[in-house]
Amino acid sequence: MTTITYTGNALGSVEHWEKPSEHRAPVVVPDDELSIYLERGWIKVGTASITVEYKRAEELDGQKLDALRQQLQTVRAENQQRENAILNAISKLTAIGYAEAA
């Protein structure tokens, strides 16, 4: 694991300035991006230091695999629903055709 500490500008809205809260974290941007955010209506409410613990590649690969497996399950479920709808339509048409022929 690699740990890096970043320092930047803490930005928020008027509500952040009037009522700081641990539940409403500010947006943190570096100095070279500050003017872009200020032009878009953000206000600088302070400065921030953020420590990021980067995971090892092996850990990230495991998380990627888990996410892909979950995505595969979702796709399979969606496709099963589509297949069932088609089979149901075939069944209804087959039943109607059989009833008309009799």
XYZ file of all heavy atoms in Angstrom:
800
model
N 0.853 -1.179 0.000
C 0.000 0.000 0.000
C 0.890 1.230 0.000
O 1.883 1.288 0.700
C -0.916 -0.024 1.218
C -1.898 1.099 1.217
S -3.079 1.115 2.574
C -3.767 -0.507 2.525
N 0.505 2.203 -0.786
C 1.231 3.468 -0.854
C 0.352 4.564 -0.277
O -0.840 4.628 -0.574
C 1.564 3.811 -2.327
O 2.323 2.727 -2.873
C 2.348 5.088 -2.437
N 0.930 5.412 0.564
C 0.181 6.504 1.179
C 0.747 7.836 0.711
O 1.951 8.059 0.786
C 0.250 6.419 2.714
O -0.242 5.147 3.130
C -0.572 7.511 3.353
N -0.118 8.698 0.201
C 0.287 10.031 -0.254
C -0.664 11.052 0.368
O -1.870 10.840 0.414
C 0.239 10.142 -1.792
C 1.192 9.124 -2.424
C 0.586 11.552 -2.250
C 1.138 9.085 -3.938
N -0.109 12.181 0.824
C -0.924 13.265 1.368
C -0.942 14.417 0.366
O 0.105 14.844 -0.118
C -0.374 13.750 2.712
O -0.379 12.656 3.629
C -1.217 14.880 3.279
N -2.131 14.879 0.040
C -2.332 15.990 -0.889
C -2.848 17.189 -0.103
O -3.596 17.034 0.861
C -3.367 15.626 -1.953
C -2.995 14.437 -2.800
C -3.412 13.159 -2.463
C -2.227 14.601 -3.943
C -3.073 12.062 -3.247
C -1.888 13.513 -4.733
C -2.318 12.242 -4.376
O -1.973 11.177 -5.150
N -2.477 18.377 -0.538
C -2.987 19.597 0.069
C -3.678 20.400 -1.024
O -3.180 20.483 -2.147
C -1.847 20.428 0.675
O -1.168 19.623 1.636
C -2.374 21.666 1.364
N -4.835 20.952 -0.686
C -5.566 21.709 -1.689
C -6.538 22.671 -1.063
O -6.536 22.903 0.155
N -7.377 23.237 -1.894
C -8.383 24.197 -1.478
C -9.699 23.480 -1.216
O -10.149 22.686 -2.036
C -8.587 25.239 -2.587
C -7.302 25.956 -2.924
O -6.849 26.777 -2.160
N -6.689 25.614 -4.054
N -10.291 23.746 -0.064
C -11.589 23.157 0.262
C -12.678 24.084 -0.254
O -12.724 25.263 0.097
C -11.722 22.971 1.772
N -13.527 23.541 -1.125
C -14.584 24.342 -1.732
C -15.936 23.807 -1.316
O -16.112 22.620 -1.069
C -14.475 24.295 -3.258
C -13.150 24.708 -3.869
C -13.230 24.593 -5.377
C -12.765 26.109 -3.448
N -16.901 24.699 -1.259
C -18.249 24.282 -0.913
C -19.239 25.343 -1.335
O -18.945 26.243 -2.112
N -20.406 25.221 -0.770
C -21.469 26.192 -1.025
C -21.609 27.068 0.209
O -20.912 26.885 1.200
C -22.782 25.454 -1.297
O -23.143 24.708 -0.153
N -22.527 27.986 0.153
C -22.754 28.865 1.297
C -23.105 28.045 2.538
O -22.668 28.334 3.641
C -23.879 29.885 0.978
C -24.220 30.702 2.199
C -23.446 30.775 -0.174
N -23.860 26.937 2.349
C -24.244 26.094 3.479
C -23.018 25.495 4.175
O -22.976 25.365 5.375
C -25.171 24.959 3.033
C -26.535 25.421 2.570
C -26.530 25.905 1.119
O -25.708 25.419 0.313
O -27.338 26.787 0.801
N -21.998 25.135 3.391
C -20.772 24.604 3.979
C -20.111 25.650 4.877
O -19.552 25.332 5.915
C -19.770 24.191 2.892
C -20.074 22.877 2.264
N -20.561 22.780 0.989
C -19.960 21.621 2.727
C -20.727 21.515 0.689
N -20.369 20.786 1.727
N -20.163 26.892 4.433
C -19.508 27.950 5.190
C -20.267 28.246 6.473
O -19.688 28.428 7.527
C -19.424 29.204 4.329
C -18.805 30.370 5.033
C -19.447 31.463 5.504
C -17.434 30.529 5.356
N -18.564 32.316 6.094
C -17.311 31.760 6.031
C -16.291 29.773 5.167
C -16.090 32.244 6.499
C -15.083 30.250 5.630
C -14.997 31.465 6.287
N -21.591 28.282 6.390
C -22.395 28.643 7.553
C -22.507 27.506 8.558
O -22.545 27.737 9.760
C -23.803 29.063 7.103
C -23.790 30.358 6.315
C -25.153 30.698 5.738
O -26.077 29.865 5.822
O -25.289 31.788 5.172
N -22.573 26.266 8.081
C -22.771 25.119 8.966
C -21.837 23.975 8.573
O -22.261 23.023 7.922
C -24.222 24.633 8.880
C -25.256 25.660 9.255
C -26.645 25.107 9.022
C -27.681 26.213 9.194
N -29.014 25.769 8.826
N -20.556 24.049 8.941
C -19.662 22.939 8.608
C -20.160 21.653 9.258
O -20.706 21.667 10.353
C -18.326 23.365 9.204
C -18.427 24.834 9.416
C -19.885 25.115 9.642
N -20.011 20.553 8.563
C -20.500 19.278 9.072
C -19.603 18.160 8.597
O -19.109 18.186 7.469
C -21.929 19.041 8.563
O -22.310 17.707 8.778
N -19.404 17.169 9.443
C -18.605 16.011 9.038
C -19.331 15.183 7.990
O -18.732 14.363 7.309
C -18.277 15.139 10.250
C -19.503 14.524 10.907
C -19.168 13.772 12.179
O -18.596 14.392 13.080
O -19.497 12.578 12.246
N -20.621 15.388 7.830
C -21.413 14.634 6.859
C -21.434 15.296 5.484
O -21.932 14.715 4.539
C -22.845 14.449 7.369
C -22.904 13.776 8.699
N -22.569 12.462 8.872
C -23.227 14.252 9.922
C -22.691 12.141 10.155
N -23.088 13.214 10.800
N -20.934 16.504 5.390
C -20.930 17.225 4.117
C -19.512 17.655 3.813
O -19.129 18.784 4.071
C -21.865 18.424 4.185
C -23.320 18.014 4.433
C -24.229 19.174 4.381
N -24.233 19.661 3.005
C -24.870 20.738 2.603
N -25.543 21.444 3.452
N -24.829 21.108 1.348
N -18.722 16.757 3.283
C -17.324 17.053 2.989
C -17.225 18.037 1.833
O -18.008 17.979 0.886
C -16.594 15.766 2.648
N -16.250 18.925 1.904
C -16.056 19.860 0.796
C -15.397 19.169 -0.386
O -14.851 18.078 -0.266
C -15.115 20.908 1.399
C -14.361 20.162 2.446
C -15.325 19.148 2.995
N -15.440 19.835 -1.512
C -14.707 19.405 -2.694
C -13.305 19.977 -2.534
O -13.142 21.138 -2.165
C -15.376 19.947 -3.973
C -14.533 19.663 -5.187
C -16.767 19.355 -4.108
N -12.287 19.178 -2.801
C -10.908 19.650 -2.647
C -10.244 19.683 -4.019
O -10.265 18.691 -4.745
C -10.120 18.743 -1.681
C -8.686 19.236 -1.538
C -10.815 18.687 -0.331
N -9.693 20.843 -4.364
C -9.049 21.006 -5.669
C -7.676 21.644 -5.487
O -7.461 22.425 -4.564
C -9.908 21.860 -6.629
C -11.242 21.200 -6.911
C -10.120 23.251 -6.090
N -6.747 21.349 -6.401
C -5.426 21.980 -6.336
C -5.498 23.444 -6.768
O -6.478 23.885 -7.373
C -4.595 21.150 -7.313
C -5.581 20.545 -8.250
C -6.846 20.368 -7.477
N -4.435 24.174 -6.462
C -4.389 25.605 -6.785
C -4.617 25.888 -8.263
O -5.308 26.847 -8.607
C -3.031 26.202 -6.373
C -2.880 26.307 -4.866
O -3.914 26.384 -4.166
O -1.731 26.320 -4.389
N -4.075 25.043 -9.144
C -4.195 25.337 -10.574
C -5.607 25.146 -11.117
O -5.904 25.545 -12.229
C -3.189 24.515 -11.383
C -3.362 23.018 -11.237
O -3.982 22.573 -10.261
O -2.861 22.283 -12.113
N -6.511 24.538 -10.344
C -7.904 24.379 -10.779
C -8.870 25.283 -10.007
O -10.059 25.305 -10.297
C -8.336 22.918 -10.608
C -7.598 21.951 -11.509
C -8.052 20.515 -11.303
O -9.135 20.297 -10.713
O -7.316 19.611 -11.730
N -8.369 26.005 -9.026
C -9.228 26.817 -8.159
C -10.074 27.811 -8.934
O -11.281 27.908 -8.722
C -8.381 27.535 -7.107
C -9.140 28.436 -6.139
C -10.152 27.615 -5.335
C -8.167 29.147 -5.211
N -9.480 28.549 -9.854
C -10.222 29.591 -10.568
C -11.380 29.015 -11.377
O -12.446 29.629 -11.481
C -9.290 30.391 -11.480
O -8.727 29.552 -12.465
N -11.213 27.816 -11.915
C -12.287 27.183 -12.692
C -13.519 26.983 -11.814
O -14.643 27.285 -12.209
C -11.810 25.833 -13.267
C -10.663 26.049 -14.255
C -12.955 25.072 -13.913
C -9.936 24.765 -14.644
N -13.294 26.480 -10.604
C -14.415 26.215 -9.694
C -15.030 27.514 -9.177
O -16.257 27.613 -9.048
C -13.949 25.346 -8.528
C -13.807 23.891 -8.911
C -12.653 23.415 -9.523
C -14.839 23.000 -8.670
C -12.526 22.092 -9.883
C -14.722 21.665 -9.023
C -13.565 21.219 -9.635
O -13.450 19.898 -9.990
N -14.198 28.501 -8.868
C -14.734 29.770 -8.376
C -15.604 30.441 -9.426
O -16.630 31.045 -9.101
C -13.591 30.693 -7.944
C -12.762 30.209 -6.746
C -11.614 31.180 -6.476
C -13.616 30.005 -5.516
N -15.219 30.315 -10.704
C -16.019 30.883 -11.793
C -17.376 30.196 -11.916
O -18.323 30.763 -12.441
C -15.269 30.754 -13.122
C -14.071 31.657 -13.236
C -13.199 31.339 -14.442
O -13.547 30.430 -15.225
O -12.152 31.989 -14.579
N -17.468 28.954 -11.439
C -18.718 28.182 -11.542
C -19.580 28.297 -10.290
O -20.532 27.544 -10.114
C -18.392 26.720 -11.822
C -17.758 26.543 -13.183
C -17.466 25.120 -13.470
N -16.868 24.998 -14.803
C -16.246 23.932 -15.246
N -16.152 22.868 -14.478
N -15.730 23.908 -16.434
N -19.233 29.222 -9.388
C -20.096 29.484 -8.246
C -19.687 28.825 -6.939
O -20.349 29.012 -5.925
N -18.611 28.052 -6.941
C -18.129 27.470 -5.693
C -17.453 28.556 -4.872
O -16.997 29.564 -5.404
C -17.114 26.362 -5.977
C -17.701 25.158 -6.627
C -17.923 24.966 -7.957
C -18.138 23.971 -5.990
N -18.471 23.732 -8.192
C -18.603 23.088 -6.983
C -18.170 23.539 -4.669
C -19.110 21.829 -6.708
C -18.659 22.280 -4.391
C -19.131 21.448 -5.397
N -17.379 28.373 -3.563
C -16.641 29.307 -2.722
C -15.577 28.534 -1.955
O -15.751 27.359 -1.638
C -17.557 30.073 -1.740
C -18.284 29.125 -0.796
C -18.544 30.950 -2.477
C -19.025 29.828 0.329
N -14.457 29.215 -1.690
C -13.389 28.580 -0.928
C -13.737 28.699 0.548
O -13.872 29.791 1.086
C -12.041 29.248 -1.218
C -10.899 28.585 -0.484
C -9.558 29.171 -0.881
C -8.462 28.515 -0.052
N -7.140 29.021 -0.402
N -13.900 27.540 1.192
C -14.280 27.524 2.600
C -13.093 27.205 3.504
O -13.208 27.240 4.724
C -15.442 26.534 2.871
C -16.704 26.982 2.159
C -15.063 25.119 2.486
N -11.959 26.888 2.918
C -10.776 26.598 3.719
C -9.735 25.853 2.903
O -9.774 25.829 1.675
N -8.776 25.261 3.604
C -7.762 24.423 2.966
C -7.919 23.015 3.512
O -8.515 22.802 4.565
C -6.342 24.946 3.240
O -6.152 24.992 4.648
C -6.125 26.316 2.642
N -7.379 22.068 2.787
C -7.539 20.678 3.210
C -6.278 19.887 2.924
O -5.558 20.163 1.969
C -8.720 20.045 2.473
N -6.026 18.918 3.766
C -4.999 17.914 3.529
C -5.698 16.577 3.474
O -6.467 16.242 4.374
C -3.965 17.912 4.654
O -3.247 19.103 4.653
N -5.465 15.861 2.419
C -6.118 14.567 2.226
C -5.042 13.501 2.136
O -4.080 13.635 1.378
C -6.952 14.557 0.932
C -8.052 15.606 1.009
C -7.525 13.181 0.674
C -8.818 15.749 -0.272
N -5.205 12.460 2.931
C -4.286 11.332 2.874
C -4.996 10.192 2.157
O -6.097 9.796 2.540
C -3.868 10.886 4.286
O -3.240 11.997 4.931
C -2.906 9.722 4.223
N -4.370 9.697 1.106
C -4.945 8.605 0.328
C -4.047 7.388 0.474
O -2.833 7.481 0.268
C -5.069 8.982 -1.172
C -5.654 7.833 -1.970
C -5.898 10.241 -1.327
N -4.648 6.286 0.860
C -3.928 5.020 0.933
C -4.279 4.223 -0.311
O -5.391 3.723 -0.440
C -4.311 4.254 2.197
C -3.876 4.932 3.472
C -4.273 4.158 4.716
O -4.986 3.137 4.594
O -3.870 4.587 5.803
N -3.344 4.148 -1.227
C -3.561 3.433 -2.476
C -3.359 1.945 -2.248
O -2.370 1.530 -1.643
C -2.599 3.931 -3.563
C -2.906 5.335 -4.022
C -2.218 6.425 -3.513
C -3.892 5.559 -4.971
C -2.505 7.712 -3.939
C -4.174 6.845 -5.401
C -3.473 7.912 -4.885
O -3.757 9.192 -5.297
N -4.274 1.140 -2.744
C -4.183 -0.302 -2.600
C -3.177 -0.883 -3.584
O -2.889 -0.285 -4.617
C -5.553 -0.941 -2.842
C -6.575 -0.515 -1.824
C -7.909 -1.151 -2.111
C -8.913 -0.720 -1.056
N -10.219 -1.337 -1.268
N -2.697 -2.066 -3.260
C -1.793 -2.773 -4.162
C -2.568 -3.249 -5.379
O -3.781 -3.444 -5.346
C -1.166 -3.974 -3.446
C -0.252 -3.576 -2.303
C 0.500 -4.755 -1.711
N -0.217 -6.016 -1.681
C -0.908 -6.473 -0.638
N -0.976 -5.766 0.468
N -1.517 -7.643 -0.687
N -1.852 -3.463 -6.469
C -2.473 -3.890 -7.726
C -3.245 -5.183 -7.552
O -4.322 -5.353 -8.130
C -1.400 -4.039 -8.807
N -2.738 -6.090 -6.731
C -3.426 -7.371 -6.517
C -4.802 -7.161 -5.886
O -5.766 -7.837 -6.231
C -2.589 -8.298 -5.624
C -1.252 -8.672 -6.195
C -0.164 -7.627 -5.924
O -0.273 -6.876 -4.934
O 0.771 -7.558 -6.722
N -4.885 -6.228 -4.950
C -6.172 -5.939 -4.319
C -7.151 -5.345 -5.328
O -8.334 -5.678 -5.338
C -5.994 -4.971 -3.155
C -5.266 -5.541 -1.964
C -5.114 -4.512 -0.871
O -6.091 -4.278 -0.139
O -4.013 -3.936 -0.767
N -6.645 -4.444 -6.167
C -7.499 -3.819 -7.176
C -7.978 -4.844 -8.190
O -9.129 -4.807 -8.622
C -6.751 -2.686 -7.877
C -6.394 -1.494 -6.992
C -5.564 -0.488 -7.779
C -7.630 -0.840 -6.428
N -7.092 -5.770 -8.572
C -7.494 -6.808 -9.510
C -8.625 -7.645 -8.934
O -9.568 -8.000 -9.637
C -6.301 -7.701 -9.877
C -5.302 -6.989 -10.777
O -5.652 -5.943 -11.361
O -4.169 -7.489 -10.894
N -8.547 -7.956 -7.645
C -9.617 -8.709 -6.991
C -10.933 -7.950 -7.018
O -11.993 -8.524 -7.274
N -10.879 -6.657 -6.776
C -12.095 -5.838 -6.803
C -12.650 -5.739 -8.217
O -13.863 -5.757 -8.423
C -11.813 -4.447 -6.249
C -11.589 -4.433 -4.760
C -11.323 -3.034 -4.228
O -10.958 -2.122 -4.976
N -11.495 -2.859 -2.939
N -11.758 -5.637 -9.200
C -12.206 -5.594 -10.595
C -12.908 -6.893 -10.976
O -13.953 -6.877 -11.637
C -11.015 -5.353 -11.527
C -10.428 -3.972 -11.450
C -9.193 -3.875 -12.344
C -8.446 -2.593 -12.144
N -7.206 -2.544 -12.936
N -12.318 -8.023 -10.545
C -12.949 -9.318 -10.829
C -14.318 -9.424 -10.188
O -15.281 -9.893 -10.813
C -12.056 -10.467 -10.341
C -10.879 -10.823 -11.239
C -9.967 -11.818 -10.548
C -11.373 -11.381 -12.555
N -14.424 -8.993 -8.944
C -15.725 -9.021 -8.257
C -16.750 -8.164 -8.997
O -17.904 -8.566 -9.164
C -15.588 -8.537 -6.814
C -14.828 -9.517 -5.928
O -14.685 -10.701 -6.329
O -14.374 -9.096 -4.850
N -16.334 -6.977 -9.442
C -17.246 -6.085 -10.162
C -17.677 -6.702 -11.489
O -18.859 -6.631 -11.864
C -16.579 -4.728 -10.406
N -16.740 -7.342 -12.195
C -17.084 -7.985 -13.467
C -18.016 -9.172 -13.256
O -18.941 -9.391 -14.047
C -15.814 -8.423 -14.202
C -15.003 -7.290 -14.823
C -13.655 -7.814 -15.307
C -15.764 -6.639 -15.957
N -17.790 -9.939 -12.206
C -18.686 -11.068 -11.913
C -20.099 -10.578 -11.597
O -21.085 -11.172 -12.027
C -18.126 -11.893 -10.761
C -16.922 -12.720 -11.164
C -16.411 -13.580 -10.024
N -15.267 -14.347 -10.453
C -14.089 -14.352 -9.847
N -13.896 -13.629 -8.752
N -13.100 -15.088 -10.315
N -20.190 -9.487 -10.849
C -21.499 -8.911 -10.542
C -22.170 -8.410 -11.816
O -23.362 -8.611 -12.026
C -21.354 -7.764 -9.535
C -22.663 -7.104 -9.172
C -23.649 -8.061 -8.540
O -23.293 -8.843 -7.671
N -24.895 -8.028 -8.982
N -21.399 -7.775 -12.684
C -21.930 -7.289 -13.957
C -22.425 -8.457 -14.803
O -23.482 -8.379 -15.436
C -20.844 -6.508 -14.697
C -21.315 -5.844 -15.964
C -20.190 -5.060 -16.631
O -19.076 -4.933 -16.118
N -20.479 -4.534 -17.801
N -21.682 -9.568 -14.807
C -22.083 -10.757 -15.556
C -23.402 -11.314 -15.026
O -24.283 -11.670 -15.808
C -20.985 -11.822 -15.477
C -21.250 -13.132 -16.200
C -21.488 -12.906 -17.685
C -20.089 -14.095 -15.965
N -23.555 -11.352 -13.703
C -24.815 -11.826 -13.119
C -25.984 -10.946 -13.546
O -27.061 -11.447 -13.866
C -24.721 -11.849 -11.587
C -23.942 -12.999 -11.032
C -23.943 -12.995 -9.512
O -24.033 -11.943 -8.883
N -23.838 -14.180 -8.934
N -25.758 -9.644 -13.554
C -26.814 -8.706 -13.954
C -27.206 -8.929 -15.409
O -28.394 -8.995 -15.748
C -26.339 -7.258 -13.739
O -26.011 -7.075 -12.364
C -27.400 -6.259 -14.155
N -26.217 -9.059 -16.286
C -26.485 -9.276 -17.713
C -27.216 -10.600 -17.916
O -28.169 -10.685 -18.700
C -25.166 -9.235 -18.523
C -25.368 -9.733 -19.932
C -24.608 -7.818 -18.528
N -26.783 -11.631 -17.204
C -27.451 -12.933 -17.340
C -28.911 -12.845 -16.903
O -29.790 -13.406 -17.552
C -26.717 -13.988 -16.511
C -25.461 -14.482 -17.164
C -24.788 -15.539 -16.325
N -23.653 -16.113 -17.031
C -22.686 -16.790 -16.458
N -22.705 -16.999 -15.148
N -21.694 -17.277 -17.178
N -29.181 -12.146 -15.806
C -30.555 -12.006 -15.323
C -31.406 -11.233 -16.331
O -32.551 -11.608 -16.613
C -30.562 -11.309 -13.967
N -30.846 -10.157 -16.876
C -31.588 -9.371 -17.873
C -31.880 -10.208 -19.111
O -32.987 -10.171 -19.660
C -30.790 -8.124 -18.257
C -30.698 -7.088 -17.155
C -29.699 -5.986 -17.457
O -28.968 -6.075 -18.472
O -29.648 -5.023 -16.663
N -30.896 -10.959 -19.563
C -31.084 -11.793 -20.749
C -32.077 -12.924 -20.487
O -32.837 -13.301 -21.377
C -29.751 -12.343 -21.250
C -28.922 -11.282 -21.946
O -29.461 -10.320 -22.472
N -27.620 -11.448 -21.945
N -32.080 -13.447 -19.276
C -33.048 -14.494 -18.935
C -34.461 -13.941 -18.988
O -35.387 -14.609 -19.467
C -32.746 -15.060 -17.544
C -33.632 -16.238 -17.162
C -33.418 -17.443 -18.065
O -32.287 -17.871 -18.250
N -34.479 -17.984 -18.626
N -34.644 -12.713 -18.531
C -35.963 -12.086 -18.598
C -36.395 -11.904 -20.046
O -37.552 -12.152 -20.395
C -35.954 -10.734 -17.882
C -35.870 -10.846 -16.374
C -35.789 -9.491 -15.696
O -35.485 -8.481 -16.324
N -36.055 -9.470 -14.403
N -35.489 -11.476 -20.896
C -35.810 -11.307 -22.317
C -36.177 -12.652 -22.950
O -37.138 -12.758 -23.709
C -34.623 -10.697 -23.061
C -34.386 -9.247 -22.737
C -33.278 -8.670 -23.609
N -32.772 -7.467 -22.998
C -31.500 -7.221 -22.728
N -30.576 -8.085 -23.068
N -31.138 -6.104 -22.164
N -35.374 -13.674 -22.629
C -35.643 -14.996 -23.175
C -37.001 -15.508 -22.721
O -37.778 -16.045 -23.525
C -34.545 -15.981 -22.725
C -34.719 -17.376 -23.296
C -33.611 -18.321 -22.857
O -32.512 -17.856 -22.498
O -33.866 -19.544 -22.874
N -37.319 -15.318 -21.457
C -38.619 -15.759 -20.942
C -39.772 -15.034 -21.630
O -40.807 -15.639 -21.923
C -38.694 -15.555 -19.430
C -37.799 -16.512 -18.667
O -37.337 -17.522 -19.207
N -37.527 -16.196 -17.421
N -39.604 -13.753 -21.901
C -40.651 -12.991 -22.576
C -40.872 -13.514 -23.994
O -42.017 -13.657 -24.452
C -40.286 -11.506 -22.604
N -39.781 -13.826 -24.686
C -39.891 -14.363 -26.045
C -40.548 -15.736 -26.023
O -41.444 -16.023 -26.828
C -38.507 -14.419 -26.719
C -37.998 -12.994 -26.977
C -38.568 -15.213 -28.026
C -36.541 -12.927 -27.393
N -40.123 -16.590 -25.108
C -40.722 -17.924 -25.001
C -42.205 -17.841 -24.663
O -43.020 -18.619 -25.180
C -39.978 -18.764 -23.951
C -38.568 -19.208 -24.350
C -37.851 -19.828 -23.151
C -38.626 -20.185 -25.515
N -42.562 -16.889 -23.821
C -43.970 -16.694 -23.454
C -44.773 -16.267 -24.685
O -45.887 -16.765 -24.919
C -44.078 -15.660 -22.340
C -45.473 -15.548 -21.778
O -46.219 -16.528 -21.753
N -45.834 -14.366 -21.319
N -44.219 -15.363 -25.484
C -44.911 -14.914 -26.698
C -45.066 -16.071 -27.679
O -46.130 -16.238 -28.303
C -44.139 -13.768 -27.344
N -44.020 -16.882 -27.819
C -44.098 -18.053 -28.697
C -45.167 -19.007 -28.209
O -45.977 -19.521 -28.993
C -42.721 -18.758 -28.776
C -41.735 -17.898 -29.553
C -42.850 -20.147 -29.405
C -40.293 -18.390 -29.492
N -45.208 -19.218 -26.916
C -46.195 -20.129 -26.339
C -47.622 -19.646 -26.598
O -48.496 -20.436 -26.974
C -45.944 -20.255 -24.835
O -46.906 -21.089 -24.240
N -47.838 -18.338 -26.426
C -49.177 -17.794 -26.663
C -49.574 -17.930 -28.125
O -50.705 -18.308 -28.439
C -49.227 -16.322 -26.246
C -49.246 -16.113 -24.753
C -49.295 -14.631 -24.418
C -49.300 -14.416 -22.930
N -49.299 -12.988 -22.578
N -48.642 -17.615 -29.029
C -48.956 -17.717 -30.450
C -49.187 -19.168 -30.862
O -50.066 -19.453 -31.676
C -47.831 -17.109 -31.293
C -47.775 -15.578 -31.275
C -46.528 -15.090 -31.986
C -49.026 -15.005 -31.924
N -48.439 -20.071 -30.306
C -48.595 -21.480 -30.611
C -49.956 -21.978 -30.124
O -50.654 -22.710 -30.819
C -47.467 -22.310 -29.966
O -46.211 -21.799 -30.411
C -47.574 -23.764 -30.336
N -50.354 -21.535 -28.943
C -51.629 -21.930 -28.365
C -52.775 -21.377 -29.210
O -53.760 -22.051 -29.479
C -51.748 -21.463 -26.920
N -52.641 -20.129 -29.656
C -53.696 -19.519 -30.491
C -53.786 -20.259 -31.826
O -54.857 -20.603 -32.300
C -53.396 -18.008 -30.715
C -53.564 -17.247 -29.408
C -54.301 -17.449 -31.813
C -53.094 -15.805 -29.478
N -52.658 -20.528 -32.426
C -52.644 -21.239 -33.709
C -53.213 -22.635 -33.573
O -53.956 -23.108 -34.451
N -52.949 -23.294 -32.508
C -53.472 -24.654 -32.288
C -54.985 -24.591 -32.073
O -55.725 -25.395 -32.641
C -52.806 -25.286 -31.058
C -53.316 -26.652 -30.753
C -52.934 -27.740 -31.536
C -54.220 -26.878 -29.717
C -53.418 -29.021 -31.281
C -54.715 -28.134 -29.452
C -54.308 -29.217 -30.236
O -54.787 -30.466 -29.975
N -55.461 -23.572 -31.328
C -56.895 -23.450 -31.062
C -57.644 -23.132 -32.349
O -58.757 -23.624 -32.571
C -57.142 -22.372 -30.013
N -57.073 -22.297 -33.235
C -57.740 -21.940 -34.480
C -57.798 -23.118 -35.453
O -58.721 -23.250 -36.226
C -57.009 -20.758 -35.132
C -57.215 -19.451 -34.376
C -56.396 -18.317 -34.963
O -55.651 -18.527 -35.926
O -56.530 -17.173 -34.450
N -56.773 -23.970 -35.424
C -56.722 -25.091 -36.337
C -57.725 -26.180 -35.947
O -58.175 -26.949 -36.773
C -55.317 -25.685 -36.373
N -58.100 -26.221 -34.693
C -58.989 -27.286 -34.226
C -60.438 -27.046 -34.568
O -60.968 -26.269 -35.167
C -58.876 -27.428 -32.716
